[in-house]
Amino acid sequence: MKRMNNKLGWLFTGPYLVFTIIFFLLPLLWSFWLALTNWNLISPDIKFVGLSNFVTAITSPTIHQAFWVTYKFLLVFVPLALILSMLVAILVNRLPRFKGLFMVAFFLPYLSSGVVTSLIVKGILSYNGPISTWLRTTFGLDIDWLGSPTSALIVVSFMIAWKMSGYYGLILVSGLNSINNEIYEAAALDGVNRWQRFWKITIPMMYPSLYTVLILAIGVSFGIFTEVYQLTGGGPNGATNTWQMEIYNQAFVNLKSGYASAVALIAAVITFLSIGVLRNLIEKWGHHYGWN
């Protein structure tokens, strides 16, 4: 029976293991080898250059800028995503009926293509788009939404936060539903107002769902590419040029696949370390409220 269970276990996990080996492990090993060469994706000759690609990447001002831009997206996108998803969760949770229907409606943007969403937003915010036209004719404001470094960063972050808010809101709704109403009733008897109840009861009690949303949002902020590629192309002046955008440009525009692989590996290490540090900070906050 034990041998049979072992065989069944390998049978069910086998397809996933094969998928992981083909699409994750082998490309990872190939990227390690590629980072030690100067291959340009076209020439049949591959020259071994050792660690020079890593040295160039570490000392490159463009890579440094992409590094800081990625963290700027982290600082803007994560709070926006958390606020929007919390608003969605509270709104849906307070509905007397049809909660599932409204939750599906908020979830639909998450299922939509990032390319299509980006093109729609680009059209809306263009010079002759409805928002720019209305601001120009009503208030005399002529805002170049995607031409300013600050506004471009905010627009991209807000669009991704809006897209993810339904998915994150679904997680937060489950956190709200897990809170016992008797806790709120006891707090009301003690004279706790709504604002205090939200910060002292709701937020601490929602820690597991908030932890999940924060980790997911942090992971997304380190992988932003589609929206930047479609809306700004990394501009203006590199203000939205993320890790992913820089890797794409080096590999497929400059045809420096070896250098791009080195940048990708450095980005992967920094991303892993950053998420680990931020996760520990979030867990310390949870320990403060008694979560293990």
Side-chain angles (χ1 to χ4, degrees):
M1 183 62 69
K2 185 177 180 180
R3 291 180 180 178
M4 183 179 296
N5 289 335
N6 289 335
K7 291 180 180 179
L8 286 175
W10 283 108
L11 178 65
F12 285 114
T13 58
Y16 178 76
L17 292 175
V18 173
F19 177 86
T20 302
I21 291 172
I22 295 176
F23 293 102
F24 287 95
L25 183 59
L26 293 180
L28 179 63
L29 296 176
W30 172 248
S31 66
F32 273 110
W33 161 249
L34 204 59
L36 302 176
T37 69
N38 67 343
W39 189 42
N40 61 5
L41 293 176
I42 298 175
S43 173
D45 299 326
I46 301 178
K47 183 180 178 181
F48 183 80
V49 296
L51 299 176
S52 62
N53 285 329
F54 292 94
V55 175
T56 303
I58 292 173
T59 58
S60 171
T62 305
I63 301 302
H64 296 168
Q65 184 183 27
F67 171 83
W68 291 116
V69 167
T70 301
Y71 277 93
K72 288 179 182 178
F73 271 114
L74 173 70
L75 294 175
V76 177
F77 164 72
V78 173
L80 275 176
L82 187 61
I83 292 171
L84 289 178
S85 58
M86 181 63 76
L87 290 175
V88 169
I90 293 174
L91 176 63
V92 172
N93 191 61
R94 290 184 177 181
L95 291 174
R97 293 185 300 175
F98 306 114
K99 291 184 180 181
L101 180 63
F102 281 92
M103 199 66 249
V104 170
F106 283 115
F107 187 73
L108 287 177
Y110 174 74
L111 301 177
S112 62
S113 169
V115 175
V116 174
T117 305
S118 301
L119 292 176
I120 294 173
V121 171
K122 192 173 185 178
I124 293 174
L125 298 179
S126 64
Y127 180 80
N128 295 321
I131 295 179
S132 298
T133 302
W134 178 73
L135 290 174
R136 192 165 53 250
T137 56
T138 305
F139 303 102
L141 297 176
D142 191 7
I143 302 175
D144 188 2
W145 297 99
L146 301 175
S148 169
T150 303
S151 61
L153 186 75
I154 293 174
V155 166
V156 175
S157 300
F158 190 85
M159 190 194 74
I160 302 174
W162 166 78
K163 180 180 173 64
M164 305 298 294
S165 61
Y167 173 47
Y168 297 158
L170 185 63
I171 299 173
L172 295 180
V173 165
S174 64
L176 286 172
N177 291 331
S178 66
I179 302 175
N180 195 328
N181 287 327
E182 293 180 357
I183 299 176
Y184 291 130
E185 294 173 359
L189 292 175
D190 290 335
V192 177
N193 58 43
R194 290 186 176 182
W195 187 254
Q196 292 173 329
R197 183 177 66 179
F198 178 77
W199 286 106
K200 299 297 183 180
I201 298 176
T202 303
I203 294 298
M205 295 292 290
M206 289 181 62
Y207 169 76
S209 56
L210 286 172
Y211 175 85
T212 303
V213 168
L214 285 172
I215 294 299
L216 291 175
I218 291 169
V220 168
S221 64
F222 283 104
I224 295 175
F225 171 75
T226 303
E227 293 78 11
V228 169
Y229 178 80
Q230 291 293 331
L231 290 175
T232 65
N237 298 323
T240 58
N241 190 43
T242 61
W243 279 114
Q244 307 299 324
M245 194 69 204
E246 182 63 23
I247 293 168
Y248 171 84
N249 287 331
Q250 293 297 337
F252 302 107
V253 177
N254 299 332
L255 296 180
K256 297 180 179 179
S257 60
Y259 180 66
S261 296
V263 174
L265 291 172
I266 294 173
V269 173
I270 293 177
T271 299
F272 177 79
L273 294 176
S274 300
I275 293 177
V277 171
L278 293 171
R279 187 193 65 183
N280 288 332
L281 292 176
I282 297 171
E283 289 177 350
K284 286 183 179 179
W285 172 69
H287 292 325
H288 176 72
Y289 288 104
W291 293 95
N292 296 322

